[in-house]
Amino acid sequence: MPVRFSIVIPTYNEAGGIERLVSTLDAVFRENGLDGEMIVVDDNSPDGTGKLVDELSTRYSVRCLHRPGKMGLSSGVIDGWKFARPDSEALGAIDADFSHDPRIIPEMVRALESGRYGLAIGSRYVRGGGIENWPLKRRITSLAAIALAKPLTTVNDITSGYFLIQRQALEGVELDPIGFKIGLEVIAKAHYGKAVEIPYVFHDRAVGESKLNSGEVINYLRQLSRIYRSKLPGANAVTPAAAGEKGA
Ligand SMILES: Nc1nc2c(ncn2[C@@H]2O[C@H](COP(=O)(O)OP(=O)(O)OP(=O)(O)O)[C@@H](O)[C@H]2O)c(=O)[nH]1
Ligand SMILES: [Mg+2]
């Protein structure tokens, strides 16, 4: 059964590359018979990204959700999923700067279609994956971020922002909209059964500027500590009285 899906592209000042990404994804969908839509979530980018995407929506399978100001990557992805067509069975995310290789999307979709996996992750840290043109500092920061989250999961690329997940795996899951790491939030909390990591080579952005700053490191640590705390025994326990249940 072909899986219908919506993939969110969060944008802030990505006018320089968004048309190339949207047209490439559109071609990948068509050439592989995929039933996908793109949702760009734009935070009123001063460079006019949102307006450009509205124009592109007449030619490609893309719609733009406009938010009034810069509200963060993770919250953008979460809002995009709410905006997605309701009959999409899978939801995903991809960066706008071509760091995430669109050519692995068919493999991600097929993995969900197989019924064996509830989550398909674009992965830099499995055989065949990698990173190109990243300065040493970024590589070390990424590995440190992953090491801190390692006890949470067996997934290798825990901080990947490139993935596709069955919609039902997110039902009832409270996602923290803090910061940049929506992938970690999903990997640590959603009910997806088995995950598969599909390798790709990450390329540093060629156009536009990075939105990552030192504040995001603090956000990441806050996010991690909240996830760890939620995993502590009894963290989500509800007393019978609080749940409105009657004791035995
Ligand atoms: N809507 C929205 N999108 C954002 C926001 N911050 C970042 N993004 C988008 O999220 C994606 C990832 O941001 P990047 O700046 O590429 O962050 P990064 O990949 O960690 O860093 P570089 O690739 O080095 O720039 C891009 O598509 C950004 O445009 C935000 O506050 N709102
Ligand atoms: Mg990037």
Side-chain angles (χ1 to χ4, degrees), residues 108-197:
M108 293 165 99
V109 175
R110 305 291 176 229
L112 297 193
E113 280 172 358
S114 75
R116 291 174 60 204
Y117 305 103
L119 172 64
I121 303 166
S123 182
R124 300 161 292 182
Y125 297 118
V126 289
R127 186 201 283 262
I131 296 172
E132 258 179 24
N133 335 322
W134 247 14
L136 186 63
K137 193 174 151 205
R138 279 300 288 276
R139 284 176 193 267
I140 292 171
T141 316
S142 173
L143 289 174
I146 283 179
L148 288 173
K150 202 82 202 156
L152 289 168
T153 165
T154 52
V155 169
N156 293 290
D157 198 346
I158 310 168
T159 57
S160 174
Y162 187 20
F163 59 89
L164 204 57
I165 184 165
Q166 292 285 4
R167 186 197 277 272
Q168 65 192 36
L170 293 169
E171 262 165 38
V173 177
E174 215 173 285
L175 297 172
D176 193 337
I178 193 173
F180 257 51
K181 299 299 177 193
I182 183 66
L184 169 66
E185 207 57 27
V186 163
I187 291 167
K189 293 183 178 170
H191 310 299
Y192 47 83
K194 274 174 85 173
V196 60
E197 292 186 74

Side-chain angles (χ1 to χ4, degrees), residues 95 97 99 202 205:
D95 283 358
D97 58 0
S99 291
F202 181 102
R205 65 164 62 243

Side-chain angles (χ1 to χ4, degrees), residues 2 17 20 43 47 64 94 105 134 137 171-172 188 203 227 231 247:
R20 183 172 155 242
D43 283 356
D47 73 352
C64 188
I94 182 169
I105 295 240
W134 247 14
K137 193 174 151 205
E171 262 165 38
H203 291 271
I227 294 175
K231 301 277 174 193

